[in-house]
DNA sequence: GTCTATAGTGGGATAGAC
DNA sequence: GTCTATCCCACTATAGAC
């Protein structure tokens, strides 16, 4: 039997190796794109053998999962101070989306490939996969925080689903961002600035009696969508 | 100089070869999936060399374009009799979407890969690419016909953009369909049946004065989205 | 049982003859 | 426009180190 300290040391080493591979991959992807980067190069840059890289990541595409998680963590860290500072719902939402755009900017060039991978339903990366990676929970959690720490009290039947709806809205912005060829993705920033006030207004109006049927219908639809 | 008849004969031959490759690919994709089919097999089944297959299609993914166009044509043919028969706007829209689901059903198993390819912005297949394939124009055209031959007269400022908005709605249904694992994609059929009446109602209400600002805002947004 | 290294295999893609 | 021949690299099998 091996000692716990040894197990721990091995675990640490494994984590460092795994991180080194992801770091190397991200750097190379940024430098020469996804297609232009070979697994041999990634492994060499990380100081491991190709076989070893495949021990940690079963395919080249699975390396993108590393990017996904990395981005979600970085985004969460970037949002924390903003969300501690702002209380206005629309401004909170705007801050979260703006931070995402800032954090993701260096990867825009190969984000198309990333998105293509994520769009495949059978892929664990798919944002719609039932119990997908922690990245989805992280993202929905951020939007739950956006609502919880804000000045709005939406329709009670809506409040439960609002974080997920905001996450879907966020996904829509990402879809547009991926296709955005304007410098520094300025168009997506415009789009966010234009649509956030609409979302803000809709959420605030959701308590109005006249909008109840629409809200109920939308919430029902979301439930039907999610049931599997 | 070669005679015109010779040129024509060559063109015909090229078209036949190209079609043979697409046909072989579609059959093999259906039988053993996208990943499970090799270019060598496709070429062999089409009776040409692999090099020749690459003369017509620069990559395996580009073969999916053939599927895309094939589907759009088949869909247009399937819709024609329905659209000649029905005048109610909601029913026309429902017929178009139902026919799409019927025509696309045999390909559902490998549609995930197809969608992943289409989602890549740099890919000519991307439904958002400025002057993408005829498939997009075919699809928007069908929705223009849905509006033109129907009993609704929507808000004038909306009518110009409505076919494209309906096409976007159709894309949304396809996105859901791709991820739909229920038998015969019954869930997507439910979703269509649920949402078509909502779209129908919205379009009919678009003339109401109270909804004008919202319509204007939405149309303005669409214009901003499309400008490149 | 956890991790690493080496030596393949198969298939996507290309060059250049005809 | 079509072929043959070949390259290159994603991925695998497997042996062995710790």
């Amino acid at each position: 039997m091996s000692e716990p300290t040894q197990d721990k040391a091995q675990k640490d080493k494994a984590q460092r190796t795994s991180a080194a591979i992801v770091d190397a991959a991200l750097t190379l992807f940024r430098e020469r794109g996804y297609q232009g980067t070979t697994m041999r190069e990634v492994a060499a840059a990380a100081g491991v053998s190709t076989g070893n890289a495949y021990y940690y990541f079963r395919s080249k595409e699975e390396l993108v999962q590393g990017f996904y998680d990395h981005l979600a963590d970085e985004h969460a860290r970037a949002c924390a101070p903003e969300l501690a500072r702002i209380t206005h719902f629309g401004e909170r939402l705007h801050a979260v989306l703006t931070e995402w755009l800032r954090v993701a900017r260096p990867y825009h060039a190969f984000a198309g490939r990333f998105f293509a991978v994520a769009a495949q339903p059978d892929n664990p990366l798919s944002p719609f996969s039932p119990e997908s990676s922690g990245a989805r929970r992280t993202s929905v959690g951020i939007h739950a925080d956006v609502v919880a720490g804000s000045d709005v009290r939406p329709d009670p039947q809506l409040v439960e689903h609002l974080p997920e709806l905001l996450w879907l809205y966020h996904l829509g912005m990402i879809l547009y961002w991926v296709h955005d060829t304007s410098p520094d993705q300025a168009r997506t920033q415009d789009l966010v600035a234009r649509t956030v006030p609409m979302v803000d207004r809709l959420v605030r109006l959701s308590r109005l009696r006249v909008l109840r049927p629409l809200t109920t219908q939308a919430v029902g639809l979301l439930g039907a969508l999610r049931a599997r």
Side-chain angles (χ1 to χ4, degrees), chain A residues 24-87:
Chain A
L26 287 180
T27 305
L28 289 170
F29 286 169
R30 249 182 319 196
E31 277 173 12
R32 40 188 107 170
Y34 178 85
Q35 300 264 34
T37 304
T38 72
M39 282 298 269
R40 294 188 215 297
E41 288 169 340
V42 170
V48 300
S49 67
T50 56
N52 196 11
Y54 276 101
Y55 174 77
Y56 286 100
F57 303 93
R58 278 189 307 219
S59 70
K60 188 178 173 183
E61 289 194 341
E62 202 167 282
L63 265 175
V64 179
Q65 173 83 46
F67 161 69
Y68 203 59
D69 293 342
H70 176 85
L71 198 64
D73 286 350
E74 214 181 321
H75 181 220
R77 260 199 307 282
C79 286
E82 297 294 296
L83 293 178
R85 194 169 59 75
I86 308 169
T87 55

Side-chain angles (χ1 to χ4, degrees), chain A residues 71-136:
Chain A
L71 198 64
D73 286 350
E74 214 181 321
H75 181 220
R77 260 199 307 282
C79 286
E82 297 294 296
L83 293 178
R85 194 169 59 75
I86 308 169
T87 55
H88 183 271
F89 173 73
E91 291 175 14
R92 285 170 75 82
L93 184 58
H94 187 263
V96 163
L97 294 172
T98 303
E99 285 305 309
W100 191 89
L101 290 176
R102 200 176 55 72
V103 168
R105 187 176 304 162
Y107 307 102
H108 183 262
F110 84 91
R113 174 60 58 156
F114 146 69
F115 187 76
V117 170
Q120 285 182 95
D122 54 342
N123 194 294
L125 245 183
S126 166
F128 303 107
S129 83
E131 75 232 343
S132 102
S133 65
R136 179 194 171 161

Side-chain angles (χ1 to χ4, degrees), chain A residues 54-228:
Chain A
Y54 276 101
Y55 174 77
Y56 286 100
F57 303 93
R58 278 189 307 219
S59 70
K60 188 178 173 183
E61 289 194 341
E62 202 167 282
L63 265 175
V64 179
Q65 173 83 46
F67 161 69
Y68 203 59
D69 293 342
H70 176 85
L71 198 64
D73 286 350
E74 214 181 321
H75 181 220
R77 260 199 307 282
C79 286
E82 297 294 296
L83 293 178
R85 194 169 59 75
I86 308 169
T87 55
H88 183 271
F89 173 73
E91 291 175 14
R92 285 170 75 82
L93 184 58
H94 187 263
V96 163
L97 294 172
T98 303
E99 285 305 309
W100 191 89
L101 290 176
R102 200 176 55 72
V103 168
R105 187 176 304 162
Y107 307 102
H108 183 262
F110 84 91
R113 174 60 58 156
F114 146 69
F115 187 76
V117 170
Q120 285 182 95
D122 54 342
N123 194 294
L125 245 183
S126 166
F128 303 107
S129 83
E131 75 232 343
S132 102
S133 65
R136 179 194 171 161
R137 276 193 302 280
T138 303
S139 190
V140 174
I142 289 172
H143 288 294
D145 193 9
V146 165
V147 178
S150 80
D151 58 350
V152 295
R153 293 289 168 269
D155 183 327
Q157 68 175 342
L158 183 65
V159 76
E160 179 195 352
H161 302 286
L162 196 50
E164 196 160 11
L165 282 171
L166 291 175
W167 171 75
L168 278 173
Y169 162 64
H170 190 167
L171 276 188
M173 295 300 107
I174 293 177
L175 174 59
Y176 186 76
W177 175 81
V178 160
H179 290 82
D180 184 359
T181 55
S182 63
D184 278 344
Q185 297 85 52
R187 289 208 156 275
T188 308
Q189 292 175 45
D190 279 1
L191 182 64
V192 166
R194 271 170 178 265
T195 52
V196 162
M198 292 169 80
V199 174
D200 181 77
R201 177 182 282 169
L202 275 172
V203 170
R204 290 177 194 278
L205 289 179
S206 67
R207 292 187 79 90
L208 289 186
R209 168 161 277 141
V210 277
L211 288 177
R212 268 285 164 89
L214 201 72
T215 307
T216 305
Q217 211 169 10
V219 167
L221 193 61
L222 190 68
L225 281 170
R226 208 166 26 203
R228 297 239 165 191

